[in-house]
Amino acid sequence: MRTKYLLIIVGLLSSLSGIKAQQVIPSSKLTIQGRAFTENLGFHRIDTTKYENLPPAVKKLFTHSAGLFVTFRTNSAKLSIDWETADAALANNSTPIMSRGFDAYVKESDGWRFAGVARPNLKNVASRFTIVENMEKTEKEFLLYFPLYKELRSFQLHIDEHATFFPTVQQFDKKIIVYGSSIVHGASASRPGLAYPAKISRGINADVINMGVSGNAKMELGVAQMINDIQDVDLIVLDCVPNCSPQQVTERTFAFVQELRKAHPHTPILLIESIIRQIGNYNLEWKKKRHEQNINFKAEYERLLAAGYKNLFYLPADHLIGDDYEGTVDGTHPTDVGFERMVKIIQPEIEQILKR
């Protein structure tokens, strides 16, 4: 029996001796990027107590950390993270990594290259995961995207004990606001960095602010008033048709753009039709609704032009997620393939608008 206990103790000591000491980097050492306002908001996208006119559901969704990220340089051979979200629940059309996890990129000469992910604990709000290890001990700049569909409560990084660490802040060429539905929010990308606002941000070096509010992008004037407080905006993208009824599209589009023009009189505004939802391939009610949404949206765009509004641009839904019916996870929300197809159409349009 004594021999057995001695063997157990020796085994424990051996395993402990293999654990390397690490530095803990608290989130307070990093600059949260990817949001519209500079106030210290924790990991929320906006100060939800400041904008009383926002619907309660919209306020809650703006506590999600969609589109937020940090950047830093380190020569650590290993990068780990522990974090906590408000809850551990998952939607039935999303991946845990997209909803509650992180993904990391490393800056190379030709842009950002994917490095690894942090997979969340499926049962607990607290998680810990090694994003990437066994790297060369050369200094690299990392970009770390936050969870898309949860309120992030806390996080801290772990790097090698003697590794260097320098927080960085990205310098962008333009600032773009993207207001929209769950598709903007990021459903159903496989990981945070593959939501289409994030992909466009990396593609054109723009500060693309994710204002997706899943299921609740209904063009309330309170949202336009909140957007009006955002400074130095180069482009506003409205990808909100999927959440509006055809009647709401008619009733709210003109007033929403009119409100935006109070603070952004010359800022280009790109209006994007609802994607052609594949759930409507055989569901005639869905097909009819989507058709009416886009018809009404185009009519309101033309009414705005007739009223003398300038710098308005319109993008039809044709081919946005492809024509082979393989671009969504559930007939509505794009897969990574669907998002890539959207980016190939939306990004060139954005680049042309910004050139003008």
Side-chain angles (χ1 to χ4, degrees):
M1 183 64 71
R2 181 179 296 175
T3 302
K4 179 180 178 181
Y5 286 137
L6 285 172
L7 289 173
I8 292 173
I9 292 170
V10 169
L12 287 171
L13 290 173
S14 297
S15 63
L16 288 172
S17 66
I19 297 174
K20 295 182 179 179
Q22 291 187 313
Q23 295 182 62
V24 177
I25 310 295
S27 61
S28 59
K29 285 193 173 183
L30 296 151
T31 299
I32 310 300
Q33 300 165 74
R35 62 183 170 203
F37 302 106
T38 57
E39 300 99 315
N40 182 9
L41 308 173
F43 308 114
H44 295 178
R45 288 180 282 172
I46 68 167
D47 182 352
T48 55
T49 64
K50 180 178 179 180
Y51 296 97
E52 297 179 356
N53 293 332
L54 295 179
V58 173
K59 286 187 178 183
K60 180 175 176 59
L61 289 165
F62 276 134
T63 68
H64 294 181
S65 54
L68 304 188
F69 63 91
V70 292
T71 56
F72 53 90
R73 297 197 309 270
T74 181
N75 62 2
S76 179
K78 182 177 182 179
L79 175 65
S80 301
I81 185 171
D82 57 53
W83 73 102
E84 185 174 317
T85 53
D87 61 78
L90 295 171
N92 58 17
N93 63 352
S94 65
T95 72
I97 295 171
M98 176 278 282
S99 181
R100 294 184 52 227
F102 294 74
D103 61 350
Y105 291 74
V106 170
K107 182 176 283 187
E108 300 289 354
S109 59
D110 58 349
W112 293 100
R113 179 188 295 174
F114 171 70
V117 300
R119 304 183 188 189
N121 187 302
L122 297 181
K123 296 181 180 180
N124 302 321
V125 296
S127 302
R128 182 167 187 176
F129 200 84
T130 296
I131 297 172
V132 59
E133 58 187 339
N134 301 318
M135 293 183 286
E136 292 184 0
K137 294 184 179 181
T138 55
E139 188 175 80
K140 305 171 189 64
E141 185 168 22
F142 286 85
L143 183 158
L144 185 68
Y145 284 110
F146 291 6
L148 292 179
Y149 262 80
K150 290 296 173 185
E151 180 185 1
L152 180 64
R153 293 286 176 82
S154 64
F155 80 89
Q156 58 185 11
L157 303 175
H158 299 262
I159 62 173
D160 296 343
E161 182 179 18
H162 300 295
T164 59
F165 186 87
F166 304 99
T168 62
V169 176
Q170 299 306 298
Q171 300 300 313
F172 294 107
D173 297 328
K174 301 289 182 181
K175 181 189 287 186
I176 300 170
I177 306 298
V178 186
Y179 167 63
S181 67
S182 55
I183 295 171
V184 173
H185 203 140
S188 295
S190 61
R191 47 188 170 84
L194 294 182
Y196 93 73
K199 289 175 67 68
I200 290 175
S201 176
R202 296 195 304 277
I204 65 173
N205 190 43
D207 190 10
V208 181
I209 310 299
N210 187 323
M211 288 285 176
V213 281
S214 183
N216 287 273
K218 299 181 180 180
M219 291 191 285
E220 298 93 348
L221 287 182
V223 174
Q225 291 160 0
M226 179 271 293
I227 293 174
N228 279 348
D229 283 347
I230 304 172
Q231 303 296 311
D232 303 317
V233 179
D234 296 289
L235 173 65
I236 299 171
V237 178
L238 302 182
D239 188 2
C240 47
V241 176
N243 288 162
C244 299
S245 69
Q247 183 178 359
Q248 287 172 331
V249 171
T250 297
E251 293 174 348
R252 299 182 179 185
T253 303
F254 192 99
F256 195 83
V257 173
Q258 188 176 46
E259 186 68 27
L260 290 175
R261 280 289 181 244
K262 292 179 181 179
H264 303 285
H266 307 295
T267 303
I269 299 176
L270 173 61
L271 294 84
I272 302 179
E273 286 185 352
S274 172
I275 65 168
I276 299 174
R277 299 190 186 203
Q278 296 161 352
I279 196 174
N281 289 346
Y282 299 100
N283 185 320
L284 298 182
E285 286 298 318
W286 270 109
K287 184 175 183 178
K288 178 174 180 289
K289 178 183 177 182
R290 193 276 311 165
H291 177 73
E292 291 177 353
Q293 286 172 316
N294 288 344
I295 288 292
N296 293 357
F297 201 47
K298 183 66 177 293
E300 292 306 298
Y301 165 70
E302 292 173 347
R303 190 159 76 94
L304 285 160
L305 294 180
Y309 286 93
K310 307 293 185 182
N311 267 352
L312 301 181
F313 303 88
Y314 193 86
L315 186 60
D318 301 344
H319 317 298
L320 266 182
I321 55 171
D323 304 304
D324 57 5
Y325 311 107
E326 303 295 341
T328 71
V329 70
D330 55 7
T332 295
H333 300 95
T335 59
D336 295 340
V337 170
F339 277 128
E340 179 65 19
R341 292 170 176 176
M342 291 181 69
V343 168
K344 285 183 178 179
I345 293 175
I346 296 173
Q347 182 172 308
E349 183 73 15
I350 287 175
E351 290 179 292
Q352 286 299 316
I353 292 171
L354 293 176
K355 284 179 181 178
R356 297 188 183 105

